[in-house]
Amino acid sequence: MYRAGVALSHLHRQTGLTNLAPNREFLSEARDKETLAMIAERCPRVADEISKSLDAWVQTSRLAQRACHGDVRPMYMRIEDERVTFFDFDDCGRGPQWLDVAASWSGRREGPWP
């Protein structure tokens, strides 16, 4: 999981990708509740912290809208030695990048992280 996190951080630092990402709405009240409920099933404390961050985000207008993969799960990455390659960018868009971290946690039920 550490290598995947480092690779995701590297992906998020590629500021040029923001202009290439579709302008999709990542956050909506209904989707927020659904996503938080899924995360809470596996890790209530993480869901609580994300909920607090989301409340702060709403109160302070918008976080930086940057490129997000949108569906970070083991089945959408290839790990070979120290190299991690992400694929399946069908759900990519612009939004707060912590959503990718949240997606990675909710995807843990698919199996072990490398």
Side-chain angles (χ1 to χ4, degrees):
M1 181 142 175
Y2 174 78
R3 287 182 287 173
V6 169
L8 184 60
S9 173
H10 180 72
L11 178 70
H12 284 166
R13 287 192 309 269
Q14 306 305 311
T15 56
L17 293 177
T18 301
N19 295 332
L20 300 174
N23 194 12
R24 287 200 178 113
E25 180 182 296
F26 270 115
L27 295 174
S28 69
E29 190 172 339
R31 189 167 182 184
D32 294 347
K33 288 179 182 178
E34 178 183 319
T35 301
L36 285 170
M38 287 180 1
I39 295 168
E41 289 175 12
R42 305 277 300 169
C43 191
R45 286 188 351 193
V46 170
D48 185 52
E49 290 301 316
I50 291 171
S51 181
K52 290 176 189 174
S53 296
L54 186 59
D55 290 343
W57 176 77
V58 169
Q59 292 173 7
T60 59
S61 72
R62 293 196 169 268
L63 291 173
Q65 299 289 305
R66 305 200 69 190
C68 293
H69 182 277
D71 197 9
V72 178
R73 296 190 276 169
M75 63 189 285
Y76 298 134
M77 63 181 77
R78 179 176 182 199
I79 299 178
E80 195 171 334
D81 297 320
E82 294 299 312
R83 184 182 181 121
V84 178
T85 304
F86 292 101
F87 53 93
D88 188 7
F89 283 80
D90 290 349
D91 294 322
C92 75
R94 296 179 194 161
Q97 293 174 328
W98 61 262
L99 289 174
D100 277 343
V101 176
S104 70
W105 275 90
S106 67
R108 288 181 63 181
R109 71 182 108 167
E110 293 177 4
W113 278 82

